[in-house]
Amino acid sequence: MVNIRINGTPYTVEDGMTIMEAAYEAGVDIPHLCYLKDVNEIGACRLCCVEVEGENKLIPACDNVVTEDMSIITNSPRVRQASRTNLELIMSRHDGTCTTCVRSGNCQLQNLCIDFSLDVDLYEKHYAPEKKLQWKRDFPLIRDNNKCVKCMRCVQICDKVQSMKIWDTLGTGSHTRVGVFDGRSIHHTDCTLCGQCITHCPVGALRARDDTDRVIEAISDPDIVTVFQIAPAIRTAWGEPFGLIPRHATVNRLCGCLKQMGADYVFDTSFTADLTIMEEANEFLVRLEKGDLEKYPMFTSCCPGWIRFIKKQFPELVPQLSTSKSPQQMFGAVMKSYFAEKIGVDPSKIFTVSIMPCVAKKGECDMDSMKSAMGANDVDVVLTTREVTRLLKKEHIPAARVADQPFDQLMAEYSGAGVIFGTTGGVMEAALRTAYFKFMGENPPADLFEEVNGFSPREKYPWVEKEFELKGQKLRIAVVNTLGHARAVCEAILREEVKYDFVEVMACPGGCSGGGGQPINTEDEERAFSRGIYLHELDKEMELRFSHENREVAKLYEDYLGHPLSERAEELLHVEHSLEFNY
């Protein structure tokens, strides 16, 4: 432990802490913009500079470690003036038209300007030349360099956490800017659309393409039947911008909001998560029995960021992907076939909208392999959690006052196994519950496999690995989240350092709960894992916890699909993976 003083008050803090961390522990706020714990501690913005007794110059708090008897001043006139001056200089290169910015009201730079009463631009604005701003606006991820503050967060999160190195600094001196590595077009990179650069950007320099107007147009068309699906992870976060805790921001309240807005039908994607388990668990058992997993494991295929990653980075492992479509795409396929038939509507008149915690889902629905036999998208539009928040505000829906409303019939039932799809390890846990039933002829204790979730301690590798024995058959599984860790597990598999039968991969920290389309908070608080824990709590409270006991999924098979892996199921719910991706 180390004894220090902050603004004259003595504190004892852990050895090795930065001044920033020590101040936070002491309840003292130090302004900052670029700092991101364990990811970006480079002192680039200089807003966190403090006085330290014995030092002539101000020093950044984010990358200097406390020492014994250090005396720190965070609120002197000198510190305040330096922070204000640095803030003014940052604003001289920032497009401050906040009213038209997607991050207005949720921007760290805007908050700092308010805190410092910065209401006048003292310096002439210097924007990037027009040729450096060109960006294809139909791409799911959009960059605006006139809003970039060169904090380097996007560079570091993409490099250190996702291992993709899409972003880099370009130019030198006053011409330095952040852009696509080597000055390439974003379309010519291996960008997975994970969206982590967006959620970690402190301003509006990075955002997802906004598709809310397309949804409003569809709802307004009397000849179109609008069908919404709400992903499991949405229930953990959609209420955050409205100040609602998850217990109040229920998925059924969101259903009520969408109905009030004019949606014709609303369902929970947890239903098709159960359907995915029926197909994927059976596919796994067939592959296992045939000996197809002797060399390499089967990989989950519900995360489009991971799918793009493996196709570009490890093409030799692509044949090991499950052919089961993601729950989003299964939903779209079922809506425009089975459901259309049931309600007597031509599939071309159905407009499907997915509410997802993910930016990559916008690309997934446009892939050629995810279209119907007629060439139409099974899922027409994907809205991120942030977009559905904007949509409700745009339509003046008072979310906090809307009552819960049940989902529509035919596909209203879902299990706890479907709900935990929204967090790391959830797909694996759900699949193992059903695989156990297939092996043993009876249900396991519902929590038998909870140790495979992404919160388990990692003893040897930066991923969770477990071994189970079912009726004499050993199953070796692994669960991993973030693309940096996915790269590590793929390399270990190819080097034959590890041997698994089944591997779940999620591109984002904590899985979908930490997806690139989730709400952004300005406190730099990582909420993915607390959101995931909430999904597990909901699972434990549910009466139905096994995908294979979902009666409406069983009815779908009885009336339309026949059985898992049937010819019709293969046609609608499966895909042959190639190396193509057209987004």
Side-chain angles (χ1 to χ4, degrees):
M1 303 299 285
V2 176
N3 297 301
I4 62 172
R5 291 184 305 281
I6 302 178
N7 300 331
T9 303
Y11 297 97
T12 300
V13 299
E14 290 184 20
D15 191 15
M17 272 189 167
T18 63
I19 295 172
M20 179 83 76
E21 292 171 322
Y24 180 82
E25 289 291 317
V28 177
D29 183 45
I30 296 178
H32 60 275
L33 193 62
C34 67
Y35 172 75
L36 200 59
K37 182 174 169 55
D38 297 329
V39 176
N40 200 42
E41 299 171 331
I42 60 175
C45 70
R46 315 305 285 182
L47 295 179
C48 69
C49 286
V50 296
E51 282 191 67
V52 173
E53 190 176 283
E55 296 282 346
N56 290 327
K57 296 180 179 180
L58 298 181
I59 66 173
C62 66
D63 63 353
N64 281 279
V65 176
V66 294
T67 58
E68 184 67 25
D69 292 329
M70 180 181 275
S71 179
I72 304 158
I73 303 296
T74 70
N75 58 1
S76 69
R78 182 186 178 197
V79 169
R80 291 195 198 100
Q81 185 56 50
S83 294
R84 182 183 177 88
T85 299
N86 285 323
L87 188 59
E88 290 170 344
L89 291 170
I90 289 170
M91 284 301 298
S92 74
R93 296 243 173 183
H94 179 74
D95 180 356
T97 51
C98 298
T99 53
T100 57
C101 179
V102 72
R103 290 290 296 275
S104 183
N106 185 36
C107 170
Q108 287 173 257
L109 181 59
Q110 188 182 53
N111 290 346
L112 286 167
C113 288
I114 292 170
D115 291 344
F116 280 90
S117 300
L118 196 67
D119 55 359
V120 177
D121 284 332
L122 299 180
Y123 301 96
E124 181 184 350
K125 292 285 187 182
H126 293 278
Y127 293 146
E130 187 63 33
K131 66 179 181 180
K132 295 180 180 178
L133 298 177
Q134 294 171 0
W135 198 273
K136 195 174 179 182
R137 296 290 160 156
D138 61 353
F139 194 69
L141 183 153
I142 296 173
R143 184 176 191 94
D144 184 347
N145 261 350
N146 276 340
K147 294 185 183 296
C148 179
V149 293
K150 304 179 184 66
C151 68
M152 302 292 289
R153 283 190 181 195
C154 60
V155 176
Q156 300 280 39
I157 202 78
C158 192
D159 184 359
K160 292 183 178 179
V161 177
Q162 300 297 67
S163 76
M164 294 306 297
K165 296 180 170 56
I166 301 301
W167 306 111
D168 197 8
T169 52
L170 307 172
T172 59
S174 62
H175 298 290
T176 301
R177 60 188 175 89
V178 176
V180 179
F181 178 79
D182 206 25
R184 292 178 294 170
S185 163
I186 189 68
H187 305 83
H188 300 146
T189 72
D190 292 352
C191 177
T192 64
L193 296 176
C194 71
Q196 291 304 305
C197 57
I198 299 175
T199 59
H200 290 85
C201 179
V203 294
L206 287 160
R207 66 183 189 273
R209 185 188 68 219
D210 191 309
D211 291 317
T212 54
D213 285 343
R214 289 182 62 196
V215 175
I216 292 172
E217 182 182 350
I219 289 174
S220 302
D221 189 334
D223 295 325
I224 295 295
V225 176
T226 52
V227 183
F228 285 72
Q229 60 168 316
I230 305 172
I234 300 301
R235 58 186 25 86
T236 68
W238 76 270
E240 290 175 10
F242 298 102
L244 296 172
I245 63 172
R247 290 285 173 184
H248 294 162
T250 65
V251 69
N252 291 101
R253 172 170 282 179
L254 180 53
C255 174
C257 290
L258 296 173
K259 286 285 191 176
Q260 190 175 124
M261 193 173 63
D264 294 307
Y265 296 92
V266 182
F267 300 97
D268 195 315
T269 316
S270 300
F271 170 86
T272 39
D274 283 334
L275 183 61
T276 299
I277 287 301
M278 295 303 294
E279 293 297 318
E280 193 168 70
N282 279 280
E283 179 188 0
F284 169 67
L285 294 176
V286 168
R287 286 196 184 193
L288 189 67
E289 186 177 340
K290 289 171 62 178
D292 291 348
L293 309 180
E294 285 297 320
K295 186 174 183 181
Y296 297 138
M298 186 175 92
F299 293 95
T300 55
S301 56
C302 55
C303 171
W306 152 244
I307 297 299
R308 183 169 175 104
F309 174 86
I310 193 174
K311 286 183 176 183
K312 273 291 189 179
Q313 306 294 311
F314 297 94
E316 63 269 53
L317 292 177
V318 168
Q320 302 305 118
L321 286 169
S322 165
T323 63
S324 300
K325 292 181 180 178
S326 69
Q328 166 179 283
Q329 295 303 134
M330 285 195 182
F331 177 91
V334 169
M335 283 299 114
K336 294 191 176 182
S337 56
Y338 170 73
F339 183 72
E341 184 179 295
K342 284 289 185 180
I343 64 172
V345 172
D346 189 301
S348 65
K349 297 294 185 182
I350 292 180
F351 190 88
T352 51
V353 181
S354 299
I355 300 174
M356 295 283 144
C358 178
V359 178
K361 289 289 182 184
K362 287 178 177 287
E364 181 186 47
C365 74
D366 284 333
M367 293 178 67
D368 291 337
S369 58
M370 297 296 175
K371 298 180 186 295
S372 69
M374 302 300 292
N377 282 19
D378 286 332
V379 174
D380 293 289
V381 170
V382 173
L383 299 182
T384 63
T385 319
R386 295 190 295 273
E387 283 175 281
V388 81
T389 296
R390 292 200 294 274
L391 182 61
L392 296 182
K393 290 180 177 180
K394 187 183 291 189
E395 294 298 291
H396 303 287
I397 306 296
R401 302 201 304 272
V402 174
D404 285 15
Q405 192 160 328
F407 291 109
D408 289 291
Q409 293 305 303
L410 285 183
M411 287 168 286
E413 188 168 75
Y414 57 87
S415 73
V419 169
I420 58 175
F421 255 65
T423 184
T424 181
V427 178
M428 181 63 71
E429 186 174 352
L432 288 174
R433 290 178 191 178
T434 293
Y436 182 101
F437 175 78
K438 294 288 184 179
F439 264 106
M440 310 297 286
E442 61 182 14
N443 285 336
D447 300 318
L448 179 63
F449 302 108
E450 65 179 355
E451 59 186 321
V452 307
N453 67 47
F455 318 118
S456 304
R458 293 159 169 77
E459 298 171 0
K460 188 176 179 182
Y461 303 110
W463 59 85
V464 175
E465 62 169 15
K466 295 293 176 185
E467 186 174 290
F468 301 97
E469 186 167 324
L470 300 179
K471 219 169 186 178
Q473 174 77 56
K474 285 187 178 180
L475 297 181
R476 296 154 296 188
I477 64 94
V479 170
V480 60
N481 65 85
T482 76
L483 294 176
H485 292 160
R487 183 183 301 279
V489 76
C490 287
E491 289 174 347
I493 287 169
L494 291 173
R495 288 194 300 263
E496 299 184 3
E497 293 174 3
V498 294
K499 177 72 176 73
Y500 303 120
D501 299 302
F502 197 6
V503 178
E504 177 202 305
V505 184
M506 292 292 173
C508 295
C512 301
S513 297
Q518 291 282 59
I520 302 169
N521 68 86
T522 56
E523 292 79 37
D524 297 329
E525 175 189 351
E526 181 54 77
R527 298 180 179 177
F529 292 96
S530 60
R531 292 168 181 163
I533 289 170
Y534 176 60
L535 292 179
H536 280 281
E537 290 173 357
L538 291 179
D539 168 41
K540 290 178 185 294
E541 294 169 4
M542 294 189 68
E543 184 176 338
L544 180 63
R545 300 188 66 189
F546 299 94
S547 297
H548 54 269
E549 291 188 344
N550 185 322
R551 291 161 295 190
E552 294 189 6
V553 167
K555 181 70 172 169
L556 172 60
Y557 278 111
E558 179 185 334
D559 290 352
Y560 197 72
L561 296 175
H563 56 82
L565 307 184
S566 69
E567 186 175 339
R568 178 170 275 180
E570 289 282 353
E571 178 188 351
L572 287 177
L573 310 180
H574 291 257
V575 61
E576 288 298 325
H577 294 287
S578 67
L579 296 183
E580 67 86 19
F581 43 85
N582 55 330
Y583 64 93

